[in-house]
Amino acid sequence: MTALPTPEYSRNMRLIGHSDQGGRPDGVQLMVHRGFAYIGHMVSQGFSIVDVRDPKNPKAAGYVPAPPGTWNVHLQAHDDLLLVINARDLFADARFADEKVYYTRQVGETVSDVQDKGWSAGLRIFDISTPDKPREISFLSLSGIGIHRIWYVGGRWAYVSALIDGFTDYIFLTIDLADPRNPQVAGRWWLPGMNQAAGEQPNWPEGKRYALHHAIIAGDTAYGSWRDGGLTLLDVKDRTQPTLISHRNWSPPFGGGTHTALPLPDRDLLVVLDEAVLDNQEDGEKHIWLFDIRDPSNPISISTFPQPNERDYVAKGAHFGPHNLHENRPGSFVSSTLIFATYQNAGVRAYDISDPYRPVETGALVPAAPAKMMDTRPNRPQVIQSCDVFVDAEGIIYSTDYNGGLSVIEYLG
């Protein structure tokens, strides 16, 4: 077995396995399902499969390419289905070489002059009854740039963020999977000002990007994260006609980038994470917030998670700040007191929120710097950028990086 890369820092966590994902170490979202990790790529475009039945010895088990000009950065697995986004590979566009363009302008505005659709936009659905041999069974075609992210945990309904023609950026769509071989768009919702085709005018400040990153659904409520547009709670009892329950936005004065809203229904709490999107904290200090949602019409922030402070991570370079949360998916590790997050150049973090007014960090692991850079954008620092985190039912942590491959971690807290 190849020696494991030595983490830069660890506390109550230890690295037990690592994979370069078959020579494609760029990873974004991952799902661990029936002993296999499905990993969407940022640069390598398609998605990879890694056999993690022995988490200490992960083995590359396959790769499915994306159509030309398309990336598959996000995906979801449940039962025998794997749902994979198709969208334009934006980071292959020279106009997004400076990441400020992606994070501080409406994507629809930047690409409005594109005439030739040299990419695939929509949702690919695979049968994964044989886990390492995905078989595509259907494709939902959409207009525009395509889908960014999905929420699907089985059953009839999936939920996506999609940039379709006529809108300034990604909006909320419900997808009917009553027949997975014939998926259909059922409903949609957006923030006022986003429906350009209907004559709506953006009412947000210059330099802010209002776009749905994704929504997590619990019961009949969708908890949506709208980047600089903040947080929405939507009533989706009627999946064809989502309606607004409440909208909160703390940008300004804070820096925006709201990325993930994780409901903890048994405690009437909501963990809300703002993504750090620019180098050296140029977009401001970002936080993981804890909201009291006993009254869904009036979500109230009651605390913030502690920031990593064992070194000067701002000076380290690249992004320092939260990126994503382990999302308590059915079949994975589910807890309403132990929260796992990625912190980009500060690695993977664990938090105890038993006292919701005083979250405490209980473990951390910062992987080694990537061996090589996959990110082709100019002047990217060669430091870890821990991206996604998934914790399986046995408590084993899996984390991706834009360049550094898959880290498999044991929590010792």
Side-chain angles (χ1 to χ4, degrees):
M1 181 185 296
T2 306
L4 294 175
T6 302
E8 293 180 7
Y9 172 79
S10 63
R11 183 174 71 86
N12 285 340
M13 292 184 184
R14 71 182 182 104
L15 186 70
I16 62 170
H18 184 267
S19 171
D20 73 351
Q21 301 162 180
R24 300 177 179 89
D26 55 302
V28 186
Q29 191 172 29
L30 82 152
M31 295 277 118
V32 178
H33 185 58
R34 295 175 177 165
F36 288 82
Y38 300 91
I39 299 165
H41 293 296
M42 185 179 78
V43 179
S44 302
Q45 293 190 325
F47 66 92
S48 286
I49 307 160
V50 178
D51 183 342
V52 292
R53 287 175 291 184
D54 176 1
K56 294 182 179 180
N57 188 28
K59 298 177 181 177
Y63 168 75
V64 178
T70 304
W71 66 10
N72 300 148
V73 286
H74 293 124
L75 39 73
Q76 298 270 280
H78 192 84
D79 291 335
D80 288 339
L81 294 181
L82 175 70
L83 279 57
V84 180
I85 73 105
N86 272 18
R88 187 179 178 198
D89 183 348
L90 294 175
F91 285 177
D93 186 326
R95 286 174 292 187
F96 293 101
D98 180 352
E99 61 183 355
K100 289 182 183 178
V101 175
Y102 181 73
Y103 290 114
T104 63
R105 293 179 61 183
Q106 306 307 302
V107 167
E109 175 188 348
T110 303
V111 299
S112 61
D113 61 338
V114 175
Q115 302 298 322
D116 179 27
K117 187 174 176 180
W119 68 92
S120 171
L123 181 66
R124 284 199 288 174
I125 300 180
F126 293 84
D127 179 317
I128 51 169
S129 51
T130 304
D132 59 344
K133 293 180 172 57
R135 180 171 57 88
E136 187 169 346
I137 60 172
S138 62
F139 177 67
L140 171 64
S141 179
L142 295 174
S143 66
I145 296 300
I147 294 172
H148 186 67
R149 190 147 158 169
I150 318 165
W151 176 257
Y152 179 68
V153 291
R156 178 174 177 178
W157 299 102
Y159 310 85
V160 307
S161 53
L163 204 177
I164 54 180
D165 286 343
F167 288 86
T168 57
D169 222 309
Y170 295 86
I171 68 169
F172 178 70
L173 301 182
T174 59
I175 309 296
D176 189 342
L177 294 179
D179 178 3
R181 295 179 180 274
N182 186 30
Q184 301 290 329
V185 175
R188 59 186 189 172
W189 193 91
W190 60 91
L191 291 171
M194 296 184 70
N195 192 347
Q196 206 166 37
E200 294 181 6
Q201 294 296 317
N203 56 6
W204 47 87
E206 187 75 19
K208 295 293 185 182
R209 182 180 170 206
Y210 278 38
L212 180 68
H213 189 272
H214 72 299
I216 294 177
I217 285 71
D220 290 325
T221 303
Y223 299 86
S225 299
W226 293 84
R227 297 193 183 271
D228 300 334
L231 166 74
T232 61
L233 276 61
L234 300 178
D235 183 339
V236 292
K237 188 173 297 182
D238 180 351
R239 264 59 178 178
T240 67
Q241 292 186 314
T243 58
L244 181 65
I245 300 170
S246 56
H247 180 204
R248 290 286 181 273
N249 194 7
W250 44 95
S251 172
F254 292 94
T258 303
H259 183 284
T260 305
L262 172 65
L264 307 174
D266 60 321
R267 299 185 66 194
D268 287 325
L269 295 173
L270 183 70
V271 184
V272 183
L273 179 148
D274 288 350
E275 178 190 8
V277 298
L278 298 180
D279 290 349
N280 308 111
Q281 221 169 59
E282 189 180 338
D283 51 328
E285 188 177 273
K286 298 300 182 72
H287 291 283
I288 305 174
W289 312 81
L290 197 55
F291 277 76
D292 182 318
I293 54 169
R294 283 175 290 178
D295 179 356
S297 68
N298 188 30
I300 299 294
S301 175
I302 59 173
S303 62
T304 56
F305 288 33
Q307 299 258 12
N309 61 5
E310 64 274 353
R311 66 169 287 185
D312 185 349
Y313 283 105
V314 177
K316 181 180 177 181
H319 298 176
F320 166 55
H323 189 179
N324 202 24
L325 300 168
H326 169 64
E327 295 181 339
N328 279 356
R329 297 173 56 81
S332 73
F333 177 81
V334 177
S335 175
S336 57
T337 57
L338 187 58
I339 304 298
F340 292 89
T342 49
Y343 235 88
Q344 304 196 70
N345 75 3
V348 179
R349 304 280 156 164
Y351 303 92
D352 184 343
I353 60 167
S354 298
D355 178 351
Y357 299 101
R358 197 177 69 89
V360 177
E361 184 186 286
T362 59
L365 188 139
V366 183
K372 64 178 181 178
M373 292 295 288
M374 296 292 289
D375 191 341
T376 56
R377 293 172 296 171
N379 304 317
R380 300 306 306 145
Q382 193 164 341
V383 300
I384 204 74
Q385 295 280 261
S386 294
C387 178
D388 195 21
V389 58
F390 186 103
V391 187
D392 70 17
E394 284 69 48
I396 301 298
I397 303 163
Y398 300 82
S399 182
T400 54
D401 177 79
Y402 291 148
N403 302 284
L406 177 68
S407 295
V408 186
I409 300 164
E410 182 180 23
Y411 176 62
L412 305 171

